[in-house]
Amino acid sequence: DVKVTQSSRYLVKRTGEKVFLECVQDMDHENMFWYRQDPGLGLRLIYFSYDVKMKEKGDIPEGYSVSREKKERFSLILESASTNQTSMYLCASRSSYNEQFFGPGTRLTVL
Amino acid sequence: GQNIDQPTEMTATEGAIVQINCTYQTSGFNGLFWYQQHAGEAPTFLSYNVLDGLEEKGRFSSFLSRSKGYSYLLLKELQMKDSASYLCAVRDSGNTPLVFGKGTRLSVIA
């Protein structure tokens, strides 16, 4: 059974903190993605990766970075969290031409 | 640029049929996807169209017209559990990331 897991369902951090969001998939997929989802704005792509050690900027990469040291793990890093990064963060993975599978999401609140 | 449009909200009655439309303008086309997302949960895959026509899967069907840049999701015999957001997404070429519409929030009422 397909599985994408994220390290936390809910997270509360303070402004200026460094935040790590972890995503792990067990399907040996090459491609992994990080989105944020906000009311009225839909799903917006932050970063994605086609393979280990590779990363590509999505539509809204500012204030974020990523790391992909192993094929199954894709981490999203908020270098210095700000209140406008309060959001639902969704990780997804897929093999080249098939549908994307999403993790359960992390609802991050930055105070 | 890329643009995907779908209605923001729809309401339908239990047992009825509802059609959710999606229009897209992308630089290329390599598949259209529909996802269902219940409140507070992750999106789950419903359907995939890459050729023109209708794909049927149980109570759900999805239609595509590439020449018109148009798709719809048809939900039959609506149930209360179908209350959710429905996301239309397009892959414009090759292995590029999906581009999502903002979603249509469907409310099923008794």
Side-chain angles (χ1 to χ4, degrees):
Chain A
D1 200 18
V2 166
K3 202 157 189 183
V4 181
T5 57
Q6 295 183 227
S7 49
S8 306
R9 289 300 303 271
Y10 300 93
L11 207 54
V12 180
K13 295 291 182 180
R14 296 207 174 273
T15 302
E17 280 192 81
K18 191 168 186 176
V19 182
F20 293 87
L21 303 182
E22 305 284 343
C23 175
V24 178
Q25 50 96 3
D26 64 359
M27 296 163 282
D28 201 36
H29 286 166
E30 300 87 3
N31 307 311
M32 297 187 75
F33 309 86
W34 274 107
Y35 295 87
R36 63 177 283 176
Q37 187 174 34
D38 302 285
L41 297 177
L43 278 165
R44 293 182 290 167
L45 183 65
I46 305 171
Y47 267 97
F48 59 103
S49 169
Y50 288 137
D51 206 344
V52 176
K53 306 238 186 241
M54 292 181 66
K55 59 183 179 183
E56 300 281 346
K57 292 181 179 179
D59 299 318
I60 51 164
E62 297 78 20
Y64 303 94
S65 62
V66 289
S67 171
R68 191 154 181 213
E69 296 296 317
K70 294 184 178 181
K71 191 175 186 179
E72 67 269 20
R73 187 180 298 268
F74 191 35
S75 303
L76 180 70
I77 303 154
L78 287 66
E79 297 290 343
S80 176
S82 62
T83 54
N84 63 13
Q85 291 178 310
T86 291
S87 187
M88 169 70 90
Y89 289 88
L90 288 159
C91 174
S93 77
R94 72 161 196 244
S95 58
S96 294
Y97 295 95
N98 297 325
E99 74 265 24
Q100 289 183 189
F101 296 92
F102 285 86
T106 297
R107 187 166 293 282
L108 172 67
T109 302
V110 183
L111 302 175
Chain B
Q2 301 181 87
N3 193 45
I4 299 176
D5 286 318
Q6 47 183 132
T8 305
E9 292 188 53
M10 297 182 72
T11 301
T13 306
E14 193 176 14
I17 300 173
V18 71
Q19 178 176 311
I20 303 174
N21 295 325
C22 171
T23 58
Y24 63 89
Q25 295 162 322
T26 54
S27 53
F29 181 81
N30 193 26
L32 187 141
F33 298 78
W34 283 96
Y35 282 81
Q36 180 191 59
Q37 186 178 24
H38 285 101
E41 298 181 11
T44 55
F45 170 77
L46 285 178
S47 69
Y48 168 64
N49 295 72
V50 68
L51 299 175
D52 290 351
L54 190 68
E55 294 280 342
E56 296 187 77
K57 193 187 290 186
R59 293 189 299 115
F60 293 7
S61 303
S62 57
F63 171 83
L64 175 68
S65 169
R66 288 172 297 169
S67 63
K68 295 181 179 178
Y70 168 69
S71 173
Y72 66 73
L73 181 69
L74 194 71
L75 291 74
K76 302 176 187 175
E77 301 168 16
L78 279 173
Q79 302 175 10
M80 300 299 282
K81 68 178 181 179
D82 297 329
S83 292
S85 288
Y86 291 86
L87 311 179
C88 174
V90 175
R91 184 167 56 219
D92 65 0
S93 63
N95 191 25
T96 54
L98 297 183
V99 178
F100 284 84
K102 293 180 181 178
T104 298
R105 188 163 63 201
L106 174 67
S107 299
V108 180
I109 59 175

